[in-house]
Amino acid sequence: MSLFLSILAAVALFALLYFVLKRPLPMAIIAGVVVLLGINIQWIKPALESVGTGLGTNTVLGIAAIMMLVLLFLKVPVFIAVLGGSLIYFLFNPGINQIIFGQKAVTGSESASLLAIPFFVCAGTFMNYAGVTSRIMTFCSAVTGRLPGGLAQVNVLLSTLMGGLSGSNLADAAMEAKMLVPEMEKQGFSKEFSSVVTAASAMITPLIPPGIAMILYGCIADVSIGKLFMSGITVGGTLCIAMMVLVHFISIKRGYKPIRNTKMTGKEFWDCLRPALLPLCLPIIIIGGIRLGVFTATEAGAVAILYSVVLGLVYRELTFKGILQACKETVCTTGGIMLIVSAASVFSWVLTKERIPQQLTEFIVSICPNKYAFLIAVNIFVLIVGMFIEGNATMIVLVPLLAPIAAQYGINEIQFAMIYIFNNAIGALSPPMGTLMFVTCSVTGCKTKTFIKEAVPFYILLFVVLMLFTFCPPVTTGIVQLTYGSV
Amino acid sequence: MKKKTWVKVLCNLDMIVASLALVILTFVTAVGVFKRYVLKDPILWQEEVSAFCQVWMIYLGASVGFRAGSHVAIEMLVDSLPEKAQKIIGYIIDMIVLFVLIFLCVKCQAYIEQVFGRSARPTPILRIPYTLIYGISPFGCVLMIVSYFVSKYAPEFTKSIELPEKVNPDEEVDA
């Protein structure tokens, strides 16, 4: 870019900051200088590179990693933090073609499989606007009405079923916190318990197909998304049943009442089931279609969008305004996720260039005696990382590092994927950075301290289920074996 | 009143184009399944249109995301600091975001110019120039910078795209 253009850009930004946004003069001037330097990076490049040569590649890499972590905690959008870390490497390392930075950023998020993410996000938001939720809820209360703690059971089952329609745990938690929790409190459930059940059950959504995390994992580690979806049925189902059992016992102990005591007649049940029938077909269409090879996971997403639009028209609840709003939400959400993917592909290139995955594999294999030791180490590690940083962002950096090691130990790729995704899901529920916890608490007005206290039985349950997945591979891979014939 | 709608459309042009790309993507993909599986006559140009719409949707959507506050960021540490420190850190962050985005913009532009610019190579079937497909990424970076500063220092401009179910993890309840 010519000098003239870069000066023009710098002046334009200066004008925007100083005259339009009324920022202080020094800040506007510094911003202009930053623009000038950023565009004409060749001015400072020799100086930076000589510093980099003095430090050595490993030090530069270390600084890059620290920079990324610091930025992550500084309220910088995640993709900027990841790019910022990589940028250090590209700036200080002599002999690296900086165009690769641009190449990876542009092409990193461009793949047909990743397109499934916007599609399923979009399908989920359309479902919300199509009036599906209330119909599914009626069905859930018909199924679980006679169990102790009726509405809490509805809460768990609703999350599981909605997981098959959308895939976002945050949206699920926000929706249930708004719809179900006030109702639960009216019926005598404590606020803390209602919030905990809502947040904990929202954790099931990403494990049920079509979960965004599964699509992302499949793309990164090159695992069949169809098989991951299939495995998600048992994983999500197990968790759902386990939670319902736990809720059952807590409700008996505290005397939370069922919704009704009389048995439903067949006709009444049918009246509750009928409106929910069409939406409940969608997961079957998605999984069946992928398994039979009618469409790929990405195309399944597009089909799901059309299906939800048709549902909305059938129910006469989807307005033009609703469609526009759903498009807006999808565009914002996917723009965010996909740029993180792009940024992470820049960072992964750096890692690959420096042969970090190979070195890490050698190191881990030398200290971990067997695959169970490795799995436990991974569980602890991913859990702790997940407690602090959003799951999808870390996945893109960590999975390319961990998956090859798991393969080295002969761990089944599907099982490892599900363990990883499950750990990430737990991280969203636990302090200090549990997004699910914050979302639910901010809607219901529950205090985080009491929330955590109330959530202890659920944490124990999650731990038990995690151990089950870790030490009992058939739970995760059995259904894949049955339907695909091999894993 | 009419002028106001105009301004609104112009200010949210990135969002409108991105939504349009999403709609086109959905239809092309769904019709593609139908044509391939039922009519046994696949759409040959499907991939080209998908790539086009995907890149446009991502880079424009990222800019919208800045205004809608939907980019994932970890707020907890900074928000617990005293106000003065928050302000200083805020300025530092501004400069970092600015530098990263400018660098990204320049390198994307350099990549596109080097690979596609000189040969002016279009896609094989529809003859869409690759520079048009990928050209949105440096442009998107510029939009992101503008969106970032406007949303941070003049949030009243961005009201129109506020998400209804915007969930705010930093709204601490323990006060």
Side-chain angles (χ1 to χ4, degrees):
Chain A
M1 214 182 277
S2 69
L3 186 63
F4 173 70
L5 269 178
S6 62
I7 293 174
L8 205 67
V11 171
L13 188 76
F14 172 81
L16 171 76
L17 286 175
Y18 188 65
F19 295 112
V20 182
L21 299 175
K22 306 269 184 288
R23 290 291 94 205
L25 187 65
M27 180 202 171
I29 291 176
I30 295 175
V33 173
V34 167
V35 172
L36 212 55
L37 276 183
I39 296 176
N40 298 294
I41 201 80
Q42 68 274 13
W43 293 350
I44 46 171
K45 206 176 166 205
L48 293 178
E49 282 183 355
S50 63
V51 172
T53 327
L55 288 172
T57 313
N58 283 339
T59 327
V60 170
L61 207 59
I63 297 174
I66 294 168
M67 178 76 173
M68 189 170 94
L69 280 181
V70 169
L71 286 183
L72 271 178
F73 282 99
L74 275 186
K75 212 176 164 179
V76 177
V78 170
F79 83 91
I80 297 274
V82 176
L83 279 181
S86 326
L87 192 135
I88 299 276
Y89 179 84
F90 277 91
L91 280 183
F92 285 95
N93 222 339
I96 296 279
N97 188 354
Q98 293 184 343
I99 284 186
I100 294 169
F101 188 85
Q103 182 201 352
K104 292 288 158 192
V106 173
T107 56
S109 57
E110 192 211 336
S111 95
S113 332
L114 280 172
L115 204 51
I117 296 174
F119 282 160
F120 281 114
V121 169
C122 186
T125 37
F126 269 129
M127 282 287 173
N128 274 344
Y129 287 99
V132 168
T133 317
S134 57
R135 288 174 170 82
I136 303 256
M137 201 167 107
T138 325
F139 168 70
C140 290
S141 51
V143 174
T144 60
R146 288 181 67 213
L147 297 171
L151 272 177
Q153 305 282 19
V154 172
N155 199 327
V156 177
L157 193 61
L158 181 63
S159 289
T160 314
L161 293 181
M162 288 306 286
L165 304 178
S166 69
S168 159
N169 51 359
L170 289 183
D172 184 76
M175 179 268 293
E176 285 181 17
K178 240 175 276 165
M179 280 176 54
L180 269 173
V181 172
E183 196 63 29
M184 284 174 80
E185 281 183 64
K186 236 183 269 169
Q187 296 211 359
F189 291 88
S190 73
K191 183 184 263 177
E192 295 76 34
F193 182 71
S194 321
S195 308
V196 168
V197 172
T198 304
S201 67
M203 216 199 89
I204 306 175
T205 15
L207 300 168
I208 300 274
I212 304 298
M214 287 191 264
I215 301 170
L216 203 52
Y217 191 102
C219 292
I220 301 165
D222 204 15
V223 179
S224 149
I225 297 175
K227 286 181 182 175
L228 286 178
F229 277 3
M230 200 56 94
S231 173
I233 300 174
T234 37
V235 170
T238 315
L239 192 59
C240 170
I241 293 168
M243 272 192 195
M244 284 177 80
V245 170
L246 180 67
V247 168
H248 182 88
F249 284 118
I250 294 179
S251 300
I252 288 179
K253 201 173 139 208
R254 301 194 184 168
Y256 293 144
K257 300 253 173 344
I259 300 174
R260 62 196 142 69
N261 291 314
T262 49
K263 201 163 183 261
M264 252 185 165
T265 61
K267 188 173 175 311
E268 276 175 312
F269 186 75
W270 172 243
D271 281 343
C272 293
L273 173 65
R274 200 170 42 89
L277 215 50
L278 278 177
L280 287 179
C281 280
L282 182 63
I284 301 168
I285 295 176
I286 293 174
I287 293 171
I290 295 175
R291 175 65 194 96
L292 295 175
V294 180
F295 37 62
T296 62
T298 307
E299 290 163 342
V303 171
I305 297 179
L306 285 192
Y307 190 81
S308 54
V309 171
V310 170
L311 274 185
L313 294 179
V314 170
Y315 294 153
R316 292 168 186 282
E317 286 195 31
L318 191 63
T319 54
F320 184 66
K321 227 178 155 189
I323 295 182
L324 280 185
Q325 196 61 45
C327 283
K328 272 183 214 175
E329 280 176 40
T330 312
V331 166
C332 289
T333 319
T334 50
I337 301 179
M338 302 296 257
L339 264 194
I340 295 178
V341 176
S342 285
S345 73
V346 177
F347 192 69
S348 317
W349 184 86
V350 173
L351 291 181
T352 319
K353 174 96 185 15
E354 293 300 322
R355 297 180 48 84
I356 302 292
Q358 290 88 336
Q359 290 176 19
L360 192 72
T361 311
E362 273 169 34
F363 174 69
I364 302 260
V365 170
S366 69
I367 57 163
C368 276
N370 58 37
K371 71 175 183 180
Y372 292 111
F374 169 69
L375 277 177
I376 290 172
V378 167
N379 276 334
I380 297 170
F381 178 65
V382 177
L383 205 57
I384 292 175
V385 172
M387 280 175 170
F388 290 94
I389 305 171
E390 201 260 345
N392 290 340
T394 53
M395 186 186 281
I396 307 160
V397 177
L398 287 182
V399 167
L401 296 176
L402 294 175
I405 311 179
Q408 192 92 29
Y409 278 109
I411 300 165
N412 183 281
E413 53 182 15
I414 305 281
Q415 188 203 359
F416 189 72
M418 292 325 277
I419 292 175
Y420 189 95
I421 296 168
F422 190 67
N423 270 313
N424 264 349
I426 299 178
L429 189 65
S430 44
M433 294 299 314
T435 38
L436 275 181
M437 185 173 80
F438 288 129
V439 168
T440 316
C441 286
S442 69
V443 177
T444 63
C446 171
K447 293 222 185 327
T448 13
K449 258 193 211 106
T450 48
F451 178 95
I452 294 166
K453 214 167 131 201
E454 188 74 25
V456 168
F458 284 88
Y459 290 138
I460 296 171
L461 176 86
L462 290 174
F463 178 75
V464 172
V465 176
L466 180 62
M467 287 300 117
L468 178 73
F469 293 153
T470 308
F471 292 108
C472 185
V475 181
T476 44
T477 56
I479 190 166
V480 184
Q481 182 84 46
L482 272 179
T483 47
Y484 277 82
S486 65
V487 276
Chain B
M1 203 62 205
K2 205 172 179 188
K3 196 185 161 202
K4 221 178 161 190
T5 334
W6 253 107
V7 171
K8 225 170 129 185
V9 167
L10 214 60
C11 285
N12 290 313
L13 202 60
D14 50 356
M15 186 179 70
I16 294 164
V17 176
S19 305
L20 210 64
L22 173 70
V23 173
I24 296 172
L25 260 178
T26 312
F27 273 103
V28 169
T29 313
V31 172
V33 175
F34 180 75
K35 283 203 64 165
R36 192 191 61 222
Y37 197 74
V38 182
L39 305 181
K40 313 276 179 215
D41 173 29
I43 306 177
L44 295 173
W45 43 266
Q46 188 183 344
E47 208 177 309
E48 293 174 13
V49 173
S50 294
F52 191 171
C53 292
Q54 194 177 4
V55 176
W56 276 61
M57 183 177 75
I58 293 168
Y59 276 90
L60 290 177
S63 156
V64 184
F66 268 110
R67 276 176 288 145
S70 64
H71 279 291
V72 186
I74 300 170
E75 279 110 345
M76 197 149 110
L77 192 77
V78 174
D79 286 356
S80 61
L81 292 173
E83 208 156 291
K84 188 130 195 222
Q86 273 194 37
K87 215 170 169 185
I88 295 169
I89 290 181
Y91 284 140
I92 296 174
I93 292 172
D94 285 351
M95 293 307 128
I96 292 172
V97 171
L98 180 63
F99 186 74
V100 169
L101 285 177
I102 284 282
F103 189 79
L104 181 65
C105 174
V106 172
K107 291 306 156 197
C108 284
Q109 190 264 345
Y111 164 69
I112 293 162
E113 191 171 310
Q114 189 174 39
V115 179
F116 306 111
R118 285 178 203 156
S119 58
R121 189 155 57 94
T123 58
I125 297 167
L126 291 181
R127 327 272 325 154
I128 310 169
Y130 276 110
T131 36
L132 181 66
I133 298 182
Y134 294 113
I136 194 67
S137 50
F139 185 65
C141 293
V142 174
L143 283 182
M144 275 187 251
I145 295 173
V146 175
S147 291
Y148 175 80
F149 283 112
V150 169
S151 68
K152 191 163 177 186
Y153 295 114
E156 65 273 8
F157 278 122
T158 62
K159 279 256 167 63
S160 58
I161 57 156
E162 198 88 2
L163 296 179
E165 286 202 23
K166 192 184 150 193
V167 277
N168 232 348
D170 52 338
E171 260 178 38
E172 260 291 356
V173 199
D174 299 18

